[in-house]
Amino acid sequence: LFNLDQGNTTTQTAALVMSPDSRANGAEISVVKENADFSTDAGRDVAITFASVLNNTATERMRIDSAGVVKIGSNTLVAPDTNADNLVIDTGDVDSGISILSATTGRIYFGDAADDEAGSIRYVHTDNSLRFETASDEALRIDDEQRLLVGLTAAATAVPPSESNASLLQVGALNNPVSIGLVRSDTSITSGNIFGGIHWYGTDTTS
């Protein structure tokens, strides 16, 4: 399909329109000029758009631009960061989201040339745990009791004295002693500086 009005310097489209019924507007696959001036190769950038029909009105739902960026939604709420714009979901002033549905495990992997699963985020439905992995090993887990486990794959269930539940924060290491460090990032520490603290509060904010 060609738009033969090549003298037109505005952004033009050529579209394939498909409808299952002559009474309905058709869904569209279109090619769109991204620049008005097509006089040189450097400006001849073309995007592909996909439009579905709701209430007999065709609306753009997805676009692949000339740089290969895939965008779902036709809104332009804000320009995405250039380090994270390969896939963009922009539905404007309503919620946007991605659902990963599985009966077993939902996964997001991060990889490089040396390791196709160097890091990952997993939700495991068999035990309802959310797991974070670095360097291909599990680093952190939130279990089904909302316990935060660092360096552990299972919570210690022993209940501390005078308490009714196991610790919500548990830190462990295999065959090594464990420590927790509170670090003040400061290159000019002087006598009397406060490094930090651990505080206890009730829900009425009383410490």
Side-chain angles (χ1 to χ4, degrees):
L1 301 175
F2 295 92
N3 186 324
L4 298 179
D5 187 11
Q6 297 178 9
N8 188 340
T9 58
T10 61
T11 53
Q12 301 161 286
T13 64
L16 173 63
V17 181
M18 297 165 284
S19 176
D21 190 306
S22 61
R23 295 168 294 182
N25 282 325
E28 301 176 6
I29 301 175
S30 305
V31 291
V32 182
K33 291 172 60 177
E34 293 184 333
N35 301 305
D37 186 0
F38 249 38
S39 60
T40 63
D41 287 347
R44 292 171 184 160
D45 301 331
V46 176
I48 304 172
T49 66
F50 300 83
S52 63
V53 177
L54 177 65
N55 296 326
N56 210 31
T57 300
T59 302
E60 182 181 323
R61 304 298 185 188
M62 187 175 77
R63 175 180 294 239
I64 305 173
D65 72 11
S66 58
V69 173
V70 178
K71 182 177 180 182
I72 299 174
S74 59
N75 290 278
T76 307
L77 185 65
V78 66
D81 189 285
T82 55
N83 290 316
D85 65 352
N86 302 93
L87 173 61
V88 177
I89 300 175
D90 187 348
T91 55
D93 58 358
V94 298
D95 291 349
S96 297
I98 298 174
S99 295
I100 300 176
L101 307 178
S102 169
T104 54
T105 302
R107 310 166 188 255
I108 300 174
Y109 279 4
F110 306 89
D112 54 27
D115 190 345
D116 62 355
E117 52 173 321
S120 72
I121 302 172
R122 307 186 189 199
Y123 191 90
V124 181
H125 294 278
T126 52
D127 63 6
N128 286 315
S129 65
L130 180 62
R131 308 176 186 184
F132 298 82
E133 298 180 351
T134 60
S136 300
D137 290 321
E138 184 173 322
L140 184 149
R141 177 184 298 205
I142 303 172
D143 72 8
D144 61 345
E145 297 291 334
Q146 287 74 57
R147 292 174 294 215
L148 177 61
L149 313 178
V150 181
L152 297 170
T153 58
T157 57
V159 177
S162 302
E163 297 186 21
S164 57
N165 297 296
S167 300
L168 289 177
L169 171 61
Q170 300 186 20
V171 181
L174 180 63
N175 300 324
N176 284 294
V178 179
S179 63
I180 297 176
L182 302 178
V183 181
R184 172 172 166 164
S185 181
D186 193 335
T187 59
S188 58
I189 296 173
T190 60
S191 176
N193 285 156
I194 297 174
F195 284 89
I198 299 176
H199 306 273
W200 287 261
Y201 295 93
T203 54
D204 61 356
T205 70
T206 302
S207 60

